[in-house]
Amino acid sequence: MFALAPAQLTARLLAWYDAGHRDLPWRPAAGERGDPYRVWLSEVMLQQTTVAAVLPYYRAFLARWPTVEALAAADDAEAMAAWAGLGYYSRARNLLACARAVAARGGFPRTEAELRRLPGLGPYTAAAVAAIAFGEAVAAVDGNVERVLARLTDDATPLPAFKAKARALAQALAPADRPGDFVQASIDLGATVCRPRNPDCLLCPWRDACRARVAGTAEARPVRPEKKGRPHRLGTVYWVWSDRGVWLVRRPEKGLLGGMLALPTGEWRVGEVRPRLEGAWAGITLNRSVAHVFTHFSLDLAVVRVHIPHGTPEAEVAAGFGEGFWGGAADLDGMPSVMQKARKLVEETR
Ligand code: SF4
């Protein structure tokens, strides 16, 4: 439990936030409510992604789709292309589904419970939108906040069991009058001061109440479960080109990189995968491969360049590499990061 009364801890954190917090474009002024569309958009983008990476995407989305209704009416392919490079593409699909659900009901619901029913809104995002945009006194707990609370209370309960405790602790601290600022302040504290390594305890508003700082256990909190190794998969990606462009396919809606434009690939699996050439065309396997790490596995992709002679019917190419089309530079720009790596490799070895 806390070493200090919750109201005192909250007051100290808010005073620290008021004294100078990060100036981020989606944030309302201290004490004010945020625009639900901006808060929601930023929170979805920030999942598993740094602020620095999100900023240009956030600005571009807002310029192109300034309201949730505009985003709801967006063309799927355009929105997916605008998301390209930000990763975790299921977020982009959920973003569109959620925008459409919100537009259909005439605006965002105002409570955490109702927000949770929207497509793709997990407990953290629903709570953050409810607190920051609608002033509901709920705490939003992400990994940063869990870390701060595990340290503040020096709780050795391992994750994920600690998550439920963290929610209860945060809820005990959430103030009725400034819940949105409390959410942002606790996120800032975790991101800028109570960092995973080398927490800057001297700058922390909770330093004299922090049990882990006193016990010297801060970096050991929260206790993490033993890591299982990430499987390593191998596969092949094909750069199929002709005088009409580069052959691009759209990946199936469900699954990894779902709905994104991509180069054709073979299967990705653990164990050796030899490049397999469909059709009658000769391919050249580049002597460098693409390494990429996804959340659940790492990947090594052989890159095979295949030239399709002038005049070959598209149906033949599709039979070999999947339904697709001849794409140009703008289409290639809309591909996700792993495909950009393959593109770069091909361009470097031309
Ligand atoms: Fe984190 Fe240090 Fe603050 Fe404790 S005193 S909450 S370890 S930054």
Side-chain angles (χ1 to χ4, degrees):
M1 230 4 217
F2 302 123
L4 203 64
Q8 278 179 283
L9 289 169
T10 302
R12 286 187 189 185
L13 182 65
L14 288 173
W16 171 82
Y17 184 71
D18 291 340
H21 54 78
R22 290 186 295 174
D23 187 17
L24 301 172
W26 47 82
R27 280 194 167 164
E32 292 187 8
R33 295 203 178 157
D35 174 81
Y37 174 57
R38 291 172 181 233
V39 175
W40 163 73
L41 182 63
S42 65
E43 290 296 347
V44 174
M45 287 184 165
L46 285 164
Q47 290 161 15
Q48 321 278 343
T49 311
T50 62
V51 167
V54 163
L55 280 169
Y57 285 86
Y58 173 80
R59 293 196 177 104
F61 262 69
L62 213 59
R64 194 150 170 193
W65 299 292
T67 62
V68 71
E69 290 77 17
L71 184 59
D75 175 72
D76 282 51
E78 262 183 57
M80 296 303 282
W83 191 276
L86 203 50
Y88 299 94
Y89 295 95
S90 60
R91 290 184 298 167
R93 289 194 296 280
N94 284 333
L95 194 80
L96 286 174
C98 184
R100 286 165 188 158
V102 170
R105 69 181 297 290
F108 280 91
R110 303 176 67 85
T111 64
E112 181 197 15
E114 289 173 292
L115 285 158
R116 279 295 301 276
R117 291 203 275 274
L118 291 171
L121 253 80
Y124 168 77
T125 309
V129 175
I132 300 170
F134 299 116
E136 188 179 357
V138 285
V141 180
D142 69 351
N144 281 323
V145 178
E146 278 166 10
R147 180 173 64 252
V148 179
L149 293 171
R151 291 172 176 178
L152 181 66
T153 56
D154 196 24
D155 194 314
T157 308
L159 287 168
F162 180 67
K163 284 176 179 289
K165 281 191 169 182
R167 273 197 300 278
L169 290 168
Q171 197 55 52
L173 296 173
D177 55 344
R178 296 178 61 190
D181 288 344
F182 176 76
V183 165
Q184 292 171 106
S186 49
I187 290 169
D188 272 13
L189 186 65
T192 64
V193 174
C194 195
R195 300 176 298 249
R197 301 249 167 84
N198 300 320
D200 215 341
C201 300
L202 281 177
L203 297 180
C204 179
W206 287 344
R207 59 190 169 275
D208 57 359
C210 178
R211 294 188 191 275
R213 186 192 64 78
V214 173
T217 52
E219 291 208 19
R221 301 286 176 265
V223 175
R224 303 207 166 267
E226 290 223 341
K227 263 199 183 160
K228 286 195 213 125
R230 223 188 226 124
H232 187 64
R233 296 188 190 174
L234 302 174
T236 310
V237 60
Y238 299 95
W239 180 267
V240 181
W241 65 286
S242 75
D243 53 2
R244 284 171 289 167
V246 178
W247 192 252
L248 295 178
V249 298
R250 189 162 298 281
R251 294 186 61 89
E253 283 298 325
K254 291 211 181 310
L256 198 71
L257 310 177
M260 302 294 295
L261 269 189
L263 302 170
T265 67
E267 211 189 334
W268 299 348
R269 58 182 166 81
V270 176
E272 195 181 0
V273 180
R274 289 187 186 283
R276 192 163 56 95
L277 278 182
E278 312 279 356
W281 305 290
I284 298 167
T285 305
L286 305 190
N287 57 10
R288 284 158 64 200
S289 61
V290 166
H292 195 76
V293 179
F294 292 102
T295 322
H296 301 300
F297 65 95
S298 56
L299 178 68
D300 209 11
L301 279 180
V303 182
V304 177
R305 209 170 53 195
V306 183
H307 179 240
I308 304 293
H310 177 77
T312 305
E314 287 195 0
E316 262 182 49
V317 185
F321 296 99
E323 282 302 328
F325 66 97
W326 293 114
D331 303 305
L332 290 166
D333 288 345
M335 299 191 303
S337 308
V338 62
M339 298 291 158
Q340 297 298 347
K341 289 183 184 175
R343 176 190 187 182
K344 188 161 176 263
L345 212 60
V346 171
E347 287 173 352
E348 282 172 3
T349 50
R350 257 209 279 258

